[in-house]
Amino acid sequence: MTTATAPAVDSEKTRRRATRPGRAAGTGVSRPSFVWAAPAAVFFGLFAIVPLLLVVVLSFTSWNGLGSPEFAGLDNWSKLLDDPVMLKSLWLSLLLTVLGVVVQTPISILLGVWAAGHQRNRAVLSAIYFVPLLLSITAVSVLWRAVLDPNFGVPSQARWLFDDGNLFGVQAGAIGVLVFVSTWQFTPLHTLIYQGAARAIPQVLYQAAQIDGAGRFRQFFHITLPQLRNSIVTSMVLMVVGGLTTFDTVLILTQGGPGTDTTNSAYYMYQKAFKSFEFGTASAIALLLVLVASFVSLVMVRLTGYDKMRSTMEGV
């Protein structure tokens, strides 16, 4: 009788050990405890959560950078609602974000899928293409400001293409320059995301498609793109956050001009804080940007179904 029940007891002990908290069921491998995440959590709390809370407090105060902040209630928020420059800057931030997503996404996908292949000289060309990603935003902005200078740059030597050569003198030209420079620098980052995702696609899917007679175009639209679904959402969220907080390129390339035609919300926040010394209003703008970026990102995740995906395979 004892011999008959021993295997059952051993089996029950094994099952309990496998399903014990902190241990992945069925694998017998312990999950890392919270202690491993503590350094990152402390770092995030000190340099993200605490400053954000201070910004929330400052958004309800009046402060010029000296002395003690004075409670102002909702005055800063009411000023923003009545400020035409603020409303225009918010619209411009959304416009730059949409243009960035529309332009960078298809280019990044095509380059990423190409870079994931085994073409001749692919590694060398990919390395050259990723050079802009290694440069700082300031260096890139200064470079293109010099290249596109209406007096000494390329436009001055190609009047037939650039008319008077002053791309920064009209809103359409200035916005076009901002989108172009951002695309030139940040497309390699998103290309890298798609390159890694494309390499993770099982080759058996393409082999099966070839047997069924599917060509490259059909394989791209029916296999590659669906498998890149998760990466597309991740890349677009990064583009949205980056687009809404664009500051360096505006500061160096256009300085919000001509007039206020390229004054986006991040640059307007800088003007309020460090030129007008209205730190309460600037904090309200910063908090508004956080709310808008968070809202847009959550909407994108919801609409794409990204939050419901549980498979470890892309797009499945």
Side-chain angles (χ1 to χ4, degrees), residues 44 152 303:
F44 182 78
F152 310 103
L303 292 179

Side-chain angles (χ1 to χ4, degrees), residues 145 148-150 155-156 159 162-170 173-174:
R145 178 68 191 187
L148 299 176
D149 187 275
S156 65
R159 301 286 184 180
F162 297 98
D163 195 17
D164 62 351
N166 188 10
L167 294 174
F168 302 100
V170 293

